[in-house]
Amino acid sequence: MSSIIQLLPDHVANQIAAGEVVQRPASVVKELLENAVDAKATDIKLIIKDAGKSLVQVIDNGVGMSVTDARLCFERHATSKIRKAEDLFTLFTKGFRGEALASIAAIAHVEMKTRQEDDELGHHIIIEGSRFVSQDVAVLPKGTSFAIKNLFFNIPARRNFLKSEVVEQRHIVDEFQRVALAHPQIHFTMYHNGSEMFNLPPSNLRQRIVGIFSGKTNEKLVPIQEETEILSIQGFVTKPEFAKKNRGEQFFFVNNRYIKSGYLHHAVMSAYEGLLKDGCQPGYFIYLNVPPHSIDINIHPTKTEIKFDDEHALYAILRSTVKHSLGQFNVSPVLDFDRDSNLDTPYSYQNKDAAYPLIQVDSNYNPFIDQKQERTATGTNFRPYKNESPSWESMYTDLKTDTETLTGNFNDIQFENEEVTSSLFDDQPIATQVHKTYQIHRKYIVSPIKSGMVIIDQQRAHQRVLYEGFLTSMTVFQASSQQLLFPLNLYFSSGELQLINELKPSLVNTGFVFEETAADHVIISGVPVNVTESEVSIVLEQLLSDLHDGIPESSFSQNDSIAKSMARSLAVKTGTYLTEKEQENLLNNLFACKEPNVSPFQKPTFITVSVEDLDKKFTV
């Protein structure tokens, strides 16, 4: 029998490796940005076209590469970061994976320009699908420029699996923000389709966070800092009142490398215990510095998950640090520098005792003596009191005459008699005067029917009613809107604002009126009829949370997703008391829907219990 195992050609092996390294354009952005940081660059530019499908270019002013390094960097398992296996446990750099550039070159057109500071000329290399096309010398500025064009040009199946431009751009922005937050001392700029999205000059950590997540972020931040023998912690957490439904602004950095850790996230959440509303998530920007030998960063292909030697101690330190900072924020006094200095106690009166007021009593006062007599207070300062008004007997002298006159006049008045009935309909039997619906545990509504009774889940039923109402408004374009007396000014991050702009046509069809959309906020002057002013921010936050992973490309699917999200936010919650009229309205509106049996999320809205089922419960 002939052998069936054979070695793969290099270009096939590189394409397979590329599938592990390059999942989407954001993967290329991450590798190139980290290489630029490791090259000691102080100015890094990221240029994107068509969400990275057409072009991903990173330009830095780092140390550059020699002609030999420029060729070797595209070979598999070639790296400048490690020399022996032990170096894997003492890494301070980021992009040490030798197959990164080789994998990128296998599935794209790569153009690299690089020059070292001491060289007069640089090197220009073009590679297409792992094949070297040209290598020339050129006059170039110091640093390196990587231009990745036509990603996945030779793997159309992988290219077809890419999401829409909005989704892919959001992933690129996420990677850019993570690298920029880890290195506030570097100047980062990002351009997409010729327009500038970010321009982040060198600054401190707080300014970098504010520069990325809009100006209102500064009001939310609470600083944290702790130095121990095991690790050092610094960064910021957000105030509890600014917690959101989604988990967008949550960042952990270990030795300036972004990571994801559910264990550390739980430590932060436990520090917020009792301070957050149900379902809300706080934001945090936490930087941990630990000895490199105490962590293992090779447990995940993208290096976003690491393993700590002493996780329990790290958990306890992080939890106590965040809790201590939140405690300091809640109990810190407010310094009022504008108080009136006239209210301060003069220094000359600080050591003096307070003077008690003296009370003087007129011992000769008798309320029962004739008021016409003059009262004199011997040895007192009371002035004599004279009552010049008539005596009290004079108030009743003419009462008898007036009463007789009134009595005579009343005797001449005739009153119209009217028969009073006990109810509007006397012939209505008492047995029919019963409630049609009942609310149980403020969760279910029970209504009798001929065959038994129907039990309705009030939250799911209201979701179905709202869902069909919003969907009708968006498809028929006849949504009603109520104008706000004072427009709402809502602040969002750049990624959230981009998502809102994509959803704006559908939101307008539901009844929202956008007066202005700026770089960091939106102004809303009108809302749907069934949305109150206080619920606008809740609805938009829930919508951003539900559509964070991607917006459906078709208009119907997009409208369906928005209607589901808004119905979930605005539906009456479990535990809400409903009056009898509200119960009946919900019941009637539910069975007027096209599909009353299930909620928008395919869960039953009601069940029926027949009399026979009840009889079986009572049989012995």
Side-chain angles (χ1 to χ4, degrees):
M1 183 177 179
S2 60
S3 300
I4 59 176
I5 297 178
Q6 59 182 353
L7 293 175
L8 291 175
D10 289 341
H11 69 279
V12 178
N14 288 338
Q15 290 183 5
I16 295 174
E20 301 175 357
V21 179
V22 185
Q23 301 175 354
R24 54 184 2 127
S27 305
V28 178
V29 172
K30 176 180 182 295
E31 295 288 348
L32 296 182
L33 287 178
E34 290 182 347
N35 285 340
V37 171
D38 288 339
K40 301 178 181 179
T42 59
D43 192 316
I44 300 176
K45 294 182 177 65
L46 173 62
I47 302 173
I48 302 295
K49 287 185 180 180
D50 299 332
K53 299 177 183 178
S54 300
L55 174 66
V56 175
Q57 186 174 7
V58 174
I59 305 172
D60 67 73
N61 62 346
V63 296
M65 288 184 284
S66 64
V67 59
T68 304
D69 293 341
R71 287 293 299 263
L72 286 177
C73 70
F74 292 102
E75 299 295 332
R76 294 194 65 191
H77 309 301
T79 179
S80 62
K81 312 299 175 63
I82 58 176
R83 291 292 183 267
K84 55 184 182 297
E86 288 77 9
D87 294 340
L88 291 172
F89 301 97
T90 58
L91 285 171
F92 290 94
T93 56
K94 297 178 178 297
F96 65 91
R97 300 172 57 177
E99 71 273 15
L101 291 178
S103 300
I104 294 173
I107 55 174
H109 297 167
V110 179
E111 182 179 2
M112 185 188 70
K113 299 177 182 180
T114 182
R115 183 180 75 86
Q116 292 180 327
E117 185 176 7
D118 298 333
D119 296 338
E120 295 183 359
L121 297 176
H123 306 281
H124 182 197
I125 297 177
I126 297 178
I127 301 176
E128 295 180 359
S130 296
R131 182 175 60 88
F132 276 86
V133 176
S134 64
Q135 179 176 349
D136 302 315
V137 294
V139 178
L140 301 172
K142 172 198 170 185
T144 305
S145 170
F146 278 97
I148 312 300
K149 304 175 183 178
N150 302 324
L151 194 64
F152 299 122
F153 78 100
N154 53 358
I155 310 179
R158 173 61 66 89
R159 190 180 182 91
N160 293 334
F161 275 99
L162 294 178
K163 303 294 183 180
S164 63
E165 284 195 12
V166 177
V167 177
E168 296 298 338
Q169 181 186 351
R170 191 179 310 119
H171 285 287
I172 292 174
V173 171
D174 289 342
E175 295 293 346
F176 176 82
Q177 290 177 350
R178 293 166 184 173
V179 179
L181 286 172
H183 303 278
Q185 74 280 3
I186 300 177
H187 185 192
F188 285 93
T189 52
M190 177 178 174
Y191 301 88
H192 183 251
N193 290 338
S195 61
E196 182 180 272
M197 293 187 63
F198 293 97
N199 189 351
L200 308 173
S203 60
N204 57 34
L205 182 56
R206 179 186 284 269
Q207 292 174 343
R208 177 56 56 89
I209 295 173
V210 173
I212 293 178
F213 297 100
S214 78
K216 285 291 181 179
T217 307
N218 192 33
E219 303 176 5
K220 310 175 185 179
L221 301 180
V222 178
I224 63 172
Q225 188 170 4
E226 186 67 35
E227 294 284 344
T228 64
E229 297 179 355
I230 302 176
L231 80 162
S232 63
I233 302 175
Q234 64 175 346
F236 298 91
V237 295
T238 58
K239 299 176 183 178
E241 59 265 28
F242 292 102
K244 295 183 178 181
K245 293 288 185 180
N246 58 356
R247 299 178 57 175
E249 300 176 1
Q250 296 180 349
F251 297 88
F252 280 114
F253 297 92
V254 176
N255 296 347
N256 290 332
R257 181 191 295 271
Y258 171 78
I259 67 162
K260 297 177 182 179
S261 175
Y263 191 69
L264 298 182
H265 173 74
H266 189 274
V268 177
M269 292 298 295
S270 62
Y272 277 89
E273 186 177 1
L275 300 176
L276 299 175
K277 298 179 181 179
D278 293 337
C280 291
Q281 296 279 341
Y284 50 78
F285 308 86
I286 300 178
Y287 296 75
L288 310 176
N289 286 322
V290 299
H293 59 79
S294 65
I295 57 175
D296 184 4
I297 59 178
N298 291 312
I299 64 173
H300 194 273
T302 60
K303 305 297 183 291
T304 56
E305 296 181 10
I306 63 177
K307 180 69 174 177
F308 297 93
D309 285 348
D310 194 352
E311 290 185 341
H312 297 288
L314 185 62
Y315 182 98
I317 295 173
L318 180 59
R319 179 180 180 274
S320 61
T321 301
V322 175
K323 201 173 187 66
H324 176 68
S325 296
L326 292 175
Q328 281 186 326
F329 163 73
N330 288 328
V331 302
S332 60
V334 178
L335 298 178
D336 187 4
F337 296 100
D338 297 329
R339 69 171 183 266
D340 190 358
S341 59
N342 295 327
L343 301 178
D344 295 339
T345 303
Y347 288 106
S348 59
Y349 285 85
Q350 286 185 352
N351 298 324
K352 290 184 177 181
D353 296 332
Y356 293 96
L358 299 177
I359 301 176
Q360 295 180 347
V361 180
D362 183 8
S363 59
N364 297 325
Y365 172 71
N366 187 355
F368 299 101
I369 64 176
D370 190 359
Q371 294 182 0
K372 293 183 179 181
Q373 297 179 1
E374 295 183 355
R375 299 191 304 271
T376 59
T378 306
T380 63
N381 294 327
F382 286 103
R383 298 177 60 187
Y385 173 75
K386 294 183 179 181
N387 186 9
E388 297 179 355
S389 63
S391 60
W392 62 273
E393 292 90 347
S394 62
M395 299 176 61
Y396 300 95
T397 54
D398 297 331
L399 180 61
K400 182 176 181 181
T401 304
D402 295 339
T403 305
E404 292 175 355
T405 304
L406 291 173
T407 304
N409 294 334
F410 275 117
N411 292 332
D412 297 334
I413 299 177
Q414 296 181 356
F415 296 94
E416 181 180 357
N417 294 329
E418 182 179 357
E419 183 179 358
V420 180
T421 59
S422 59
S423 63
L424 186 61
F425 304 101
D426 284 338
D427 55 346
Q428 184 179 5
I430 300 177
T432 60
Q433 300 177 2
V434 296
H435 295 287
K436 295 183 180 180
T437 59
Y438 302 90
Q439 188 180 27
I440 299 178
H441 296 296
R442 298 187 176 185
K443 183 177 183 180
Y444 300 106
I445 299 175
V446 179
S447 178
I449 56 178
K450 290 183 179 180
S451 60
M453 62 180 177
V454 58
I455 303 175
I456 302 169
D457 188 311
Q458 64 183 29
Q459 183 173 359
R460 296 180 182 177
H462 199 203
Q463 287 178 352
R464 165 54 62 177
V465 173
L466 293 175
Y467 168 73
E468 293 198 2
F470 286 127
L471 205 58
T472 302
S473 300
M474 287 186 285
T475 53
V476 184
F477 306 106
Q478 294 181 352
S480 300
S481 178
Q482 55 181 345
Q483 296 298 313
L484 299 176
L485 183 60
F486 300 102
L488 289 177
N489 196 346
L490 303 178
Y491 287 84
F492 297 97
S493 64
S494 59
E496 293 172 340
L497 280 175
Q498 183 182 358
L499 191 59
I500 290 177
N501 289 330
E502 293 290 330
L503 301 173
K504 185 184 290 186
S506 299
L507 292 176
V508 171
N509 292 334
T510 62
F512 284 97
V513 178
F514 292 87
E515 185 174 318
E516 180 185 348
T517 303
D520 60 347
H521 68 278
V522 294
I523 298 178
I524 298 177
S525 59
V527 295
V529 176
N530 52 356
V531 178
T532 62
E533 183 177 348
S534 60
E535 293 174 332
V536 175
S537 60
I538 299 176
V539 170
L540 292 181
E541 286 182 8
Q542 182 66 50
L543 181 62
L544 294 174
S545 177
D546 293 340
L547 299 180
H548 182 266
D549 294 333
I551 304 175
E553 296 184 4
S554 64
S555 60
F556 176 78
S557 299
Q558 187 178 123
N559 293 340
D560 181 73
S561 300
I562 294 175
K564 286 181 180 179
S565 178
M566 294 182 65
R568 181 186 313 187
S569 303
L570 298 173
V572 60
K573 301 298 187 291
T574 298
T576 304
Y577 171 75
L578 299 180
T579 63
E580 182 183 358
K581 189 66 175 177
E582 292 172 337
Q583 298 172 26
E584 292 180 0
N585 288 337
L586 181 58
L587 196 69
N588 296 332
N589 292 333
L590 174 64
F591 290 102
C593 294
K594 295 181 180 179
E595 296 183 10
N597 297 331
V598 293
S599 71
F601 308 99
Q602 302 303 315
K603 296 181 180 179
T605 57
F606 66 89
I607 60 172
T608 57
V609 180
S610 63
V611 177
E612 290 77 7
D613 294 336
L614 292 176
D615 292 338
K616 293 178 181 179
K617 298 293 183 181
F618 288 95
T619 56
V620 180

